[in-house]
């Protein structure tokens, strides 16, 4: 009777309560991995760009009973209304299931997804559908559900229906729950999970205690009337955080407008006074010729001073190969290379445009900037300086002509000082980052890893070319990566990883070609050649990549060749890119790989599936491990972090034994490559810049 009344109360609350909550209530990660209460989901999802990491000790043992174990959950908001995650359930952490101490134990990796349906008006309620333990061959927790939630003041009411084949009956039928957020730091919850009634609380640590990095939550389920648990109480801990903070135009929290507008007015008044004086001199016939010469000289002196200050400011910002010039139109020309904003070239472009608006105040002046990379023209931007200054001060949309490749010729340009000041050549660029090989939820343990510190050195030597060196130093590893153990041959080892000479060519029709010749360590030592060709459309939406490789094994007569063709479509308005690759890969497997990347600033989370000699699916991420603005390059070089560190987790499909699939759909990666190094991870285009105007402006206001 208690259970039926509880369910009826939750369902009626969804339909009848007015939606008067002034602010959204906090949501939490359930013990099952999805956003919810303890065992049941709500219709809420993680916000786009947020990630949630959790641990709890309530182990659902093959759908039969609840015992004290280990659950690890990861979830993220990939898209508006879309939440996906991974879940590891294990009885022990390190027992080897092949040996006596671990024989018969549970260790399971599963995948969860939830989608909040968009067609239901928010003032009514939220409605979501979801699945737990989706895909795979062995599905201990496979569950499908529909949930509706409604907020009223400090309460949230949830009701739904679910279906699965688990013996104990959890989430197999109608469920309901009530949450009461009594304080910002305390939320009480009670639920009926279709089998039992559970109650508990969440304690949220104030964000300022952890430097506003994210949200830390402690969870306790202190009551349950289930007949299928060794104990009634279980606990958990969760940490959530945004991957990035999106810059916005007209942000009300932004500081006062830049002072360049006031400087512009003062300088404009001085020019008017100067021109008025010249007009007065023009009334004296004998001095007419002298007056015209003086006016031209004074004008040229003034613009020369402004452009000299502009060039000095760009050098102080750490940009390289800087050329600054002007003509009498007036038209300001700036050419530069960016080695300081390594995470995203748009920050360097925004800073340069802001500096031009700051230092140049000639009436009706135009600008053209040229972004170079190893001397190769990559992107040009052209527009009106007054128009861009207005954009910085008021966020009004600027008028810009953005083109890939080399800028249009500009006549009669006078260069300030020596062109290409602060040369980018012969300066070593040293990037540090982790090199990690790992496996989750295998028969050997919950988590096995081999970790090394990787150092990549890039030395630009000539137009489009240079020297690339990579080495690793082993740091630590688990026992299963020791020599002679099951994963020993995959352990990271100290030594040279790659050494190559590279040359990049700028071909017609927007095509780039790059060749690496040298040494490559891919489990074994090879010498070989790698060539890639990329075409990126003018607006940046379409990209085609062809990659060829030939590698000879150094220890005996064996060679490998690779041929792959890839296509990428960039949906810049939604920060999503779609990738497809096909061909012959490094370890002689042939087939296709599909991937969807969800971008959050300079990071992305992706889901992928591949079909070569085995079928594999998984999730991957790429994050920058370096500041937004790196240290300036000195005459001795530059030290920075890895701007796009990549890692992935995968599992086999359609395989009842689920053996590890190592090295499938693998290609040789070089630290210097066309997509990351030259094309800003495929984002060097007009469509990307226009979709990120707020960041263009914010880069100048932050780093000026």
């Amino acid at each position: 009777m208690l259970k039926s009344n509880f369910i009826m109360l939750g369902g009626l609350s969804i339909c009848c309560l007015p939606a008067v909550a002034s602010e959204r209530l906090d949501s939490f990660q359930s013990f099952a991995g999805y956003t919810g209460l303890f065992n049941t989901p709500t219709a809420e999802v993680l916000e786009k760009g947020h990630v949630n990491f959790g641990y709890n000790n309530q182990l659902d043992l093959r759908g039969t009973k609840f015992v004290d174990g280990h659950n690890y959950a990861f979830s993220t908001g990939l898209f508006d209304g879309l939440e996906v995650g991974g879940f590891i359930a294990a009885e022990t952490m390190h027992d080897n299931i092949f040996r006596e101490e671990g024989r018969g134990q549970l260790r399971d990796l599963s995948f969860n997804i939830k989608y909040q349906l968009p067609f239901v008006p928010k003032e009514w309620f939220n409605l979501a559908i979801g699945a737990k333990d989706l895909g795979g061959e062995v599905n201990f927790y496979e569950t499908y559900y529909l949930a509706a939630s409604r907020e009223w003041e400090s309460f949230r009411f949830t009701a739904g229906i679910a279906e699965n084949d688990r013996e104990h009956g959890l989430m197999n039928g109608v469920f309901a729950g009530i949450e009461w957020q009594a304080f910002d730091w305390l939320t009480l919850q009670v639920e009926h999970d279709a089998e039992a009634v559970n109650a508990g609380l969440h304690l949220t640590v104030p964000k300022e205690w952890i430097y506003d990095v994210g949200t830390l939550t402690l969870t306790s389920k202190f009551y349950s009337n289930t007949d299928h648990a060794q104990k009634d109480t279980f606990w958990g801990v969760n940490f959530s955080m945004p991957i990035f903070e999106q810059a916005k135009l007209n942000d009300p929290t932004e500081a006062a407008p830049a002072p360049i507008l006031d400087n512009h007015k003062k300088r404009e008044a001085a020019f008017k006074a100067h021109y008025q004086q010249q007009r007065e001199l023009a009334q004296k016939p004998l001095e007419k010729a002298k007056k015209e010469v003086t006016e031209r000289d004074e004008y040229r002196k003034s613009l020369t001073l402004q452009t000299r200050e502009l060039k000095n400011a760009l050098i102080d910002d750490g940009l390289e190969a800087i050329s600054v010039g002007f003509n009498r139109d007036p038209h300001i020309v700036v050419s530069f290379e960016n080695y300081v904003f390594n995470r995203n070239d748009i920050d360097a472009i925004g800073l340069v445009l802001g500096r031009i608006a700051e230092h140049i105040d000639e009436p009706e002046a135009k600008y053209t900037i040229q972004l170079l990379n190893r001397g190769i023209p990559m992107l040009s931007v052209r527009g009106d300086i007054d128009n861009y200054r207005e954009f910085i001060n008021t966020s009004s949309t600027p008028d810009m002509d953005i083109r890939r490749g080399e800028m249009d010729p500009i006549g009669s340009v006078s260069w300030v000082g020596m062109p290409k000041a602060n040369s980018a050549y012969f300066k070593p660029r040293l990037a540090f980052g982790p090199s990690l090989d790992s496996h989750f939820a295998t028969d050997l343990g919950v988590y096995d890893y081999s970790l090394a510190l990787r150092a990549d050195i890039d030395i630009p030597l000539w137009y489009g070319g240079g020297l690339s060196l990579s080495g690793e130093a082993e740091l630590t590893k688990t026992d299963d990566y020791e020599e002679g153990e099951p994963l020993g041959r995959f352990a990271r080892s100290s030594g040279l990883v790659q050494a190559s000479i590279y040359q990049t060519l700028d071909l017609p029709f927007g095509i780039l070609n790059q060749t690496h010749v040298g040494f490559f360590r891919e489990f074994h030592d090879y010498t070989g050649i790698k060539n890639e060709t990329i075409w990126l459309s003018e607006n940046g939406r379409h990209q085609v990549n062809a990659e060829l490789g030939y590698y000879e094994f150094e220890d005996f007569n064996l060679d490998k060749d690779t041929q792959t063709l890839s296509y990428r479509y960039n949906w810049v308005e939604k920060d999503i890119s779609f990738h497809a690759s096909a061909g012959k890969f490094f370890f002689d497997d042939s087939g296709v790989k599909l991937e969807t990347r969800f971008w959050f600033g300079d990071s992305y989370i992706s889901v992928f599936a591949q079909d070569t000699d085995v079928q594999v699916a998984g999730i991957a991420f790429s994050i920058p491990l370096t500041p937004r603005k790196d240290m300036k390059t000195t005459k001795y070089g530059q030290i920075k972090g890895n701007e796009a560190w990549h890692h992935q987790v995968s599992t086999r499909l359609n395989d009842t034994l689920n053996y590890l699939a190592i090295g499938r759909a693998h290609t040789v990666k070089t630290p210097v490559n066309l997509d990351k190094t030259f094309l800003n991870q495929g984002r060097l285009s007009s469509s990307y810049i226009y979709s990120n105007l707020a960041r263009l402006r914010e880069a100048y206001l932050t780093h000026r």
Side-chain angles (χ1 to χ4, degrees):
M1 186 66 179
L2 174 62
K3 295 179 181 179
S4 61
N5 289 341
F6 187 86
I7 295 171
M8 184 177 297
L9 174 61
L12 290 175
S13 300
I14 295 295
C15 301
C16 301
L17 287 176
V20 296
S22 58
E23 295 182 3
R24 291 190 61 185
L25 303 181
D26 293 339
S27 295
F28 304 94
Q29 189 181 70
S30 69
F31 285 168
Y34 38 62
T35 300
L37 287 83
F38 301 105
N39 296 330
T40 61
T42 63
E44 309 303 319
V45 292
L46 274 176
E47 292 184 41
K48 177 183 175 181
H50 283 63
V51 294
N52 197 329
F53 305 91
Y55 170 84
N56 68 79
N57 68 335
Q58 178 184 282
L59 177 64
D60 184 354
L61 189 61
R62 297 184 177 88
T64 60
K65 59 182 178 179
F66 299 100
V67 300
D68 196 357
H70 306 278
N71 290 329
Y72 295 90
F74 166 79
S75 56
T76 180
L78 282 187
F79 195 65
D80 291 333
L82 178 63
E83 172 185 302
V84 301
F87 191 80
I88 296 175
E91 291 183 69
T92 60
M93 289 291 295
H94 304 296
D95 289 351
N96 188 326
I97 293 178
F98 293 113
R99 297 174 180 169
E100 187 63 33
E101 72 275 9
R103 201 174 304 275
Q105 287 188 12
L106 170 71
R107 191 168 293 139
D108 183 75
L109 174 64
S110 59
F111 177 74
N112 302 333
I113 185 169
K114 184 201 287 191
Y115 183 60
Q116 189 180 80
L117 301 177
F119 54 78
V120 179
K122 296 295 183 183
E123 61 271 17
W124 291 5
F125 52 85
N126 288 329
L127 185 66
I129 57 173
K132 178 174 172 59
D133 200 0
L134 186 66
E137 292 298 313
V138 182
N139 305 94
F140 294 119
Y141 310 111
E142 185 174 10
T143 303
Y144 301 91
Y145 60 84
L146 173 71
S149 296
R150 177 73 170 272
E151 293 183 7
W152 177 69
E153 295 187 348
S154 57
F155 292 88
R156 178 185 291 122
F157 300 88
T158 298
I161 187 169
E163 181 183 10
N164 62 57
D165 295 327
R166 285 183 273 182
E167 292 182 16
H168 49 46
L170 169 69
M171 288 290 288
N172 189 21
V174 178
F175 62 88
I178 301 175
E179 302 170 77
W180 175 37
Q181 188 165 338
F183 304 98
D184 290 341
W185 52 272
L186 174 63
T187 298
L188 302 175
Q189 295 180 335
V190 60
E191 69 177 3
H192 173 61
D193 60 18
E195 187 273 327
V197 174
N198 312 299
L201 58 82
H202 297 275
L203 295 176
T204 302
V205 177
K207 288 186 177 182
E208 56 268 22
W209 290 12
I210 52 176
Y211 306 100
D212 291 320
V213 174
T215 301
L216 180 65
T217 304
L218 308 176
T219 302
S220 172
K221 192 184 81 170
F222 52 70
Y223 169 79
S224 178
N225 65 359
T226 181
D227 296 326
H228 301 280
Q230 291 180 344
K231 59 181 184 178
D232 293 337
T233 61
F234 292 95
W235 61 272
V237 58
N238 291 88
F239 179 75
S240 63
M241 62 178 291
I243 300 177
F244 82 117
E245 294 184 4
Q246 179 71 53
K248 298 180 180 179
L249 296 176
N250 297 313
D251 189 343
T253 63
E254 185 184 276
I260 60 172
L261 187 58
D262 292 337
N263 292 342
H264 172 64
K265 289 182 177 179
K266 293 177 182 178
R267 187 171 294 181
E268 188 178 61
F271 284 143
K272 288 181 178 179
H274 170 73
Y275 295 143
Q276 179 62 32
Q277 182 182 17
Q278 295 301 324
R279 283 193 291 270
E280 293 176 356
L281 290 173
Q283 297 176 1
K284 302 178 181 180
L286 294 177
E287 300 295 327
K288 183 176 181 180
K290 294 182 180 180
K291 188 255 334 165
E292 292 178 354
V293 173
T294 301
E295 183 178 355
R296 288 196 299 269
D297 290 344
E298 289 295 324
Y299 171 84
R300 186 176 182 85
K301 179 180 178 181
S302 173
L303 196 52
T304 300
L305 180 61
Q306 295 175 52
T307 50
R308 185 181 297 125
E309 292 174 350
L310 169 61
K311 185 174 184 179
N312 291 336
L314 297 177
I315 292 175
D316 290 340
D317 289 328
L319 300 174
E320 301 177 45
I322 300 170
S323 301
V324 177
F326 64 93
N327 64 16
R328 283 188 52 82
D329 289 339
H331 197 130
I332 311 302
V333 182
V334 177
S335 176
F336 67 98
E337 292 201 30
N338 168 43
Y339 288 92
V340 68
F341 292 99
N342 293 292
R343 286 167 53 166
N344 199 328
D345 284 324
I346 195 174
D347 291 335
I349 294 171
L351 182 60
V352 171
L353 292 175
R355 290 295 188 203
I356 293 174
E358 175 184 349
H359 288 279
I360 307 300
D361 284 306
E362 293 296 329
E364 299 181 359
K366 309 292 183 182
Y367 68 82
T368 295
I369 69 169
Q370 175 73 73
L371 173 66
L372 306 173
N373 198 326
R374 277 72 173 174
I376 298 176
M378 301 303 302
L379 187 84
S380 68
V381 183
R382 187 168 184 165
D384 181 86
I385 294 178
D386 289 335
N387 174 261
Y388 196 83
R389 184 184 295 109
E390 187 72 13
F391 164 63
I392 292 178
N393 285 280
T394 67
S395 298
S396 59
T397 302
D399 296 324
M400 299 184 296
D401 181 13
I402 305 172
R403 301 183 184 182
R404 287 197 53 243
E406 189 172 7
M407 65 183 183
D408 292 335
I410 301 172
S412 304
V413 175
S414 298
W415 299 103
V416 178
M418 293 295 295
K420 299 189 181 301
N422 194 16
S423 173
Y425 296 133
F426 300 101
K427 296 177 181 178
R429 324 283 171 161
L430 178 60
F432 287 104
S435 177
L436 178 65
D437 189 274
S438 64
H439 295 283
F440 292 86
T442 69
D443 293 335
L444 306 176
V446 170
Y447 183 55
D448 282 297
Y449 66 88
S450 174
L451 177 65
L453 177 65
R454 181 178 177 119
D456 298 315
I457 302 176
D458 172 30
I459 309 176
L461 297 177
W462 55 77
Y463 184 91
L467 175 65
S468 176
L469 302 170
S470 298
E472 293 181 357
E474 183 183 11
L475 297 178
T476 182
K477 58 188 175 185
T478 55
D479 292 342
D480 289 319
Y481 275 93
E482 296 289 348
E483 186 175 357
E485 295 299 322
L487 300 175
R489 62 194 181 102
F490 305 114
R492 300 302 191 203
S493 59
S494 300
L496 185 67
V497 176
Q498 284 188 18
S500 66
I501 295 289
Y502 66 87
Q503 177 62 56
T504 309
L505 302 176
D506 182 19
L507 303 178
F509 309 109
I511 298 174
L512 292 175
N513 179 274
Q514 186 178 84
T515 301
H516 284 259
V517 180
F519 166 81
F520 306 89
R521 189 174 77 189
E522 300 290 334
F523 294 104
H524 300 289
D525 294 345
Y526 296 87
T527 56
I529 180 171
K530 175 189 174 183
N531 179 271
E532 61 175 329
T533 302
I534 281 185
W535 172 80
L536 180 65
S537 65
E538 186 66 34
N539 61 13
R541 294 188 182 275
H542 307 279
Q543 179 177 302
V544 179
N545 181 9
E547 185 174 309
L548 304 174
Y550 178 79
Y551 310 93
E552 291 186 348
F553 191 25
E554 290 192 344
D555 292 344
F556 57 88
N557 187 19
L558 176 68
D559 60 69
K560 291 183 176 295
D561 62 282
T562 62
Q563 309 97 31
T564 60
L565 182 65
S566 303
Y567 170 76
R568 185 222 65 188
Y569 177 78
N570 193 5
W571 190 8
V572 291
E573 294 82 2
K574 298 297 183 180
D575 294 318
I576 301 175
S577 58
F578 304 92
H579 304 249
S581 300
K584 181 182 179 183
F585 299 97
F586 187 81
F587 291 103
D588 297 325
D589 55 320
S590 299
V592 298
K593 178 178 180 179
L594 303 177
E595 182 180 17
T596 300
R597 296 178 181 177
F598 300 85
W599 288 86
F600 310 103
D602 299 326
S603 306
Y604 69 76
I605 297 175
S606 72
V607 291
F608 65 88
Q610 57 196 50
D611 184 2
T612 56
D613 53 353
V614 297
Q615 294 179 342
V616 175
I619 186 169
F621 65 87
S622 174
I623 57 174
L625 299 179
T626 194
R628 185 173 174 184
K629 184 179 182 182
D630 286 316
M631 65 168 284
K632 301 176 184 177
T633 307
T634 69
K635 63 179 180 179
Y636 304 107
Q638 180 187 38
I639 298 177
K640 58 182 181 177
N642 189 328
E643 67 271 26
W645 184 68
H646 180 272
H647 191 60
Q648 68 182 42
V649 179
S650 62
T651 185
R652 289 178 70 156
L653 302 177
N654 299 320
D655 187 339
T656 56
L657 297 177
N658 199 21
Y659 290 129
L660 295 180
I662 298 175
R664 303 299 90 185
H666 175 75
T667 58
V668 175
K669 307 296 183 185
T670 55
V672 179
N673 58 70
L674 292 179
D675 183 70
K676 185 182 76 171
T677 309
F678 284 80
L679 294 177
N680 195 32
Q681 299 190 71
R683 300 173 295 176
L684 198 64
S685 64
S686 58
S687 60
Y688 178 78
I689 293 177
Y690 273 119
S691 295
N692 291 271
L693 289 176
R695 179 164 179 171
L696 199 69
R697 174 176 178 266
E698 184 263 347
Y700 167 70
L701 295 177
T702 301
H703 298 287
R704 58 184 173 147

